[in-house]
Amino acid sequence: MNEERRTLIKTASYEAEPHEVGRVLLLYSGGLDTSVMLKWIQDEYEAEVVALTVDLGQPGEDFEVVRGKALRLGALDCHVVDAREEFARDYVLPAIKANALYGGGYPLFTALGRPLIAKLAVDYATTSGCDTIAHGCTGKGNDQVRIESAVIALAPEMKIIAPVRGWQMGREEEIAYARQHGIPVKGGTESPPYSIDDNLWGRSSEGGPIEDLDEPPRDDVFQLVTRPEEAPDEPEDVVVAFERGGPVAMNGERMELVALLERAGEVGSRHGVGIVDHVEDRIVGLKVRDLYEVPAAAVILAAHKELEKLVGTIHQNTFKPHLDDHWAYLVYAGLWYEPLRSDLDAFMDAVNEQVTGEVTLRLFKGSVRPVARRSPNALYDPALAGFGQSGGLFSQQASPGFIELWSLQSRMAYGVRNKRKEGT
Ligand code: ARG
């Protein structure tokens, strides 16, 4: 057994001791880290490995290639699960209802995907007789928190290993290990030096030159969204229809949620919409810069917010954003199974019962702007809103009386405080 690993100190009860590891369910992406892990676990633990690859709508991924690679590296089996529909319905839709943005800019695509990946890991580990789940997260990120919290909530008896956190191989050593074990190492100098994560709700890039906060992003970061300056010179209007908070049609065409989110991503990308340069407070204390490409979220959230505002009262509209923020924070922080999250979902669902209607967005060179909206539930009466109008439910003559009462306490307090100042 490897010397270094034997000296690792176990700090949580769910971490696996080497002798407890018989068969491992490995969350496999096909990238370098998890490919090295696939071999390393077999060598170091003398354990069997079953691989699981989850399709959350990563654009351009060939899952058959990923599966072939896992089998070639000695996996007993590699399950490829198309979880796009479940992801859209049970994770992205609640996020839409909560207008979910962390730190004012990050629509949580990675954070939403992790609890689903963890749930599938538990399911497949159980059905394929695995005692341990392995993932490729480092010890510095949020994803380890999200995956492990979810796994141990669902399956307290499951053991977890995260080799990247402990194997103390540097990048060079890892590549050497890969070459030595016949693991293809792609890229080298021609592929951009970023750490990428993506799914149908967005794409993130971290690391390398992005870590220079005082430098603007290099163009090679953006692989999804057209650079705004290169976007079409003509604006495009897009009509998004919602029923009870969920998007159901675009430009009059009804679509399943996955197809609709893909379509929103395409049109947003074309117009340079959804680029976010975000310095983020991670759960583990670090501040890190992320470059996000979130065209689908930029389009759908803009439309949803606009419609929600039209059907909500002033009280709902001032209160809900606080709960939206807290929902986003819990999900960001890896607490998908925290009951407060589902309590908040009940509130989100209740408000979203009214969110039915259509919003027209104008997309142009990186901007997305609501230009028209309509809803059978709108709390809007054009007869009352007009300038010169009076009568019916609204009497302009009543306004001075309202103003006198409305401002009473504030005026009184202002007077008291100023008198006190004069007296001293
Ligand atoms: N900063 C984002 C988050 O914490 C994105 C993380 C991307 N994950 C990754 N393994 N590259 O959710």
Side-chain angles (χ1 to χ4, degrees):
M1 190 200 305
N2 176 308
E3 273 301 308
E4 267 167 16
R5 196 162 51 73
R6 213 183 319 147
T7 59
L8 278 182
I9 300 156
K10 182 171 145 166
T11 57
S13 59
Y14 62 78
E15 288 182 289
E17 302 275 7
H19 70 267
E20 296 172 302
V21 180
R23 185 181 290 173
V24 177
L25 187 290
L26 168 65
L27 286 166
Y28 186 63
S29 70
L32 180 66
D33 283 342
T34 55
S35 295
V36 168
M37 279 170 62
L38 212 173
K39 266 277 176 233
W40 192 87
I41 291 167
Q42 297 173 79
D43 287 352
E44 297 286 314
Y45 287 91
E46 290 166 10
E48 297 173 323
V49 178
V50 176
L52 172 66
T53 302
V54 183
D55 177 2
L56 297 180
Q58 299 86 311
E61 189 70 85
D62 185 336
F63 291 99
E64 271 317 299
V65 171
V66 174
R67 192 179 127 78
K69 197 168 170 185
L71 296 175
R72 254 196 332 280
L73 294 173
L76 288 187
D77 201 350
C78 179
H79 304 281
V80 174
V81 180
D82 179 356
R84 288 176 299 167
E85 208 183 301
E86 185 176 3
F87 181 52
R89 184 191 60 228
D90 296 343
Y91 297 80
V92 178
L93 182 56
I96 294 170
K97 291 182 178 176
N99 301 304
L101 280 186
Y102 175 70
Y106 168 43
L108 298 172
F109 52 89
T110 298
L112 291 163
R114 294 306 187 243
L116 173 53
I117 290 171
K119 189 188 91 166
L120 292 167
V122 168
D123 291 349
Y124 279 83
T126 308
T127 53
S128 33
C130 298
D131 43 61
T132 302
I133 288 172
H135 63 74
C137 305
T138 72
K140 282 191 160 181
N142 296 317
D143 290 330
Q144 51 173 348
V145 182
R146 297 166 182 151
I147 290 178
E148 294 180 15
S149 308
V151 166
I152 59 181
L154 295 171
E157 72 294 348
M158 194 59 77
K159 296 292 175 191
I160 300 175
I161 56 174
V164 181
R165 232 164 22 191
W167 66 21
Q168 292 166 350
M169 277 196 272
R171 189 79 186 162
E172 298 300 304
E173 257 179 290
E174 201 183 330
I175 290 175
Y177 184 99
R179 294 231 158 91
Q180 202 183 324
H181 290 83
I183 298 164
V185 179
K186 58 169 184 218
T189 45
E190 79 275 13
S191 78
Y194 306 117
S195 158
I196 309 295
D197 189 59
D198 57 1
N199 61 45
L200 53 77
W201 198 228
R203 177 181 197 274
S204 73
S205 306
E206 296 176 344
I210 295 171
E211 287 165 9
D212 285 335
L213 296 193
D214 51 357
E215 286 295 328
R218 292 179 0 184
D219 285 346
D220 63 355
V221 171
F222 303 111
Q223 302 292 327
L224 191 61
V225 175
T226 309
R227 294 195 309 134
E229 46 275 49
E230 284 159 11
D233 293 328
E234 289 302 313
E236 181 172 346
D237 286 0
V238 179
V239 183
V240 188
F242 290 83
E243 281 173 15
R244 301 162 73 209
V248 293
M250 262 182 80
N251 297 329
E253 189 186 337
R254 271 191 98 84
M255 276 176 268
E256 294 298 329
L257 189 54
V258 170
L260 191 143
L261 298 178
E262 280 169 1
R263 190 73 71 85
E266 280 160 22
V267 66
S269 292
R270 195 156 62 241
H271 288 279
V273 162
I275 292 178
V276 184
D277 185 336
H278 204 231
V279 177
E280 194 164 288
D281 289 305
R282 282 192 183 163
I283 322 163
V284 292
L286 301 168
K287 277 195 201 296
V288 174
R289 183 194 196 184
D290 278 87
L291 290 169
Y292 293 124
E293 295 167 83
V294 290
V299 167
I300 299 297
L301 293 180
H304 179 267
K305 253 191 204 163
E306 182 68 13
L307 193 58
E308 194 179 81
K309 225 164 63 181
L310 185 64
V311 303
T313 66
I314 182 173
H315 306 291
Q316 291 176 306
N317 289 342
T318 51
F319 183 68
K320 186 167 177 289
H322 299 293
L323 298 198
D324 289 350
D325 277 349
H326 210 84
W327 192 96
Y329 172 67
L330 290 177
V331 172
Y332 183 81
L335 299 178
W336 185 258
Y337 291 99
E338 157 62 44
L340 179 58
R341 202 264 311 161
S342 42
D343 296 349
L344 291 176
D345 273 333
F347 173 80
M348 303 299 169
D349 284 340
V351 174
N352 275 279
E353 275 300 307
Q354 305 301 315
V355 183
T356 294
E358 282 181 2
V359 174
T360 306
L361 300 170
R362 184 157 297 167
L363 277 48
F364 182 58
K365 289 194 181 293
S367 82
V368 47
R369 177 165 65 96
V371 291
R373 65 293 281 157
R374 56 202 74 81
S375 168
N377 305 329
L379 301 181
Y380 179 80
D381 182 345
L384 293 180
F387 266 121
Q389 320 265 8
S390 200
L393 290 173
F394 198 101
S395 154
Q396 296 202 43
Q397 283 79 49
S399 279
F402 163 74
I403 294 164
E404 187 161 49
L405 303 186
W406 172 245
S407 62
L408 179 59
Q409 286 201 2
S410 306
R411 287 182 288 113
M412 203 181 268
Y414 184 77
V416 168
R417 280 157 182 66
N418 283 315
K419 218 170 284 149
R420 203 191 294 136
K421 231 183 265 163
E422 278 159 27
T424 53

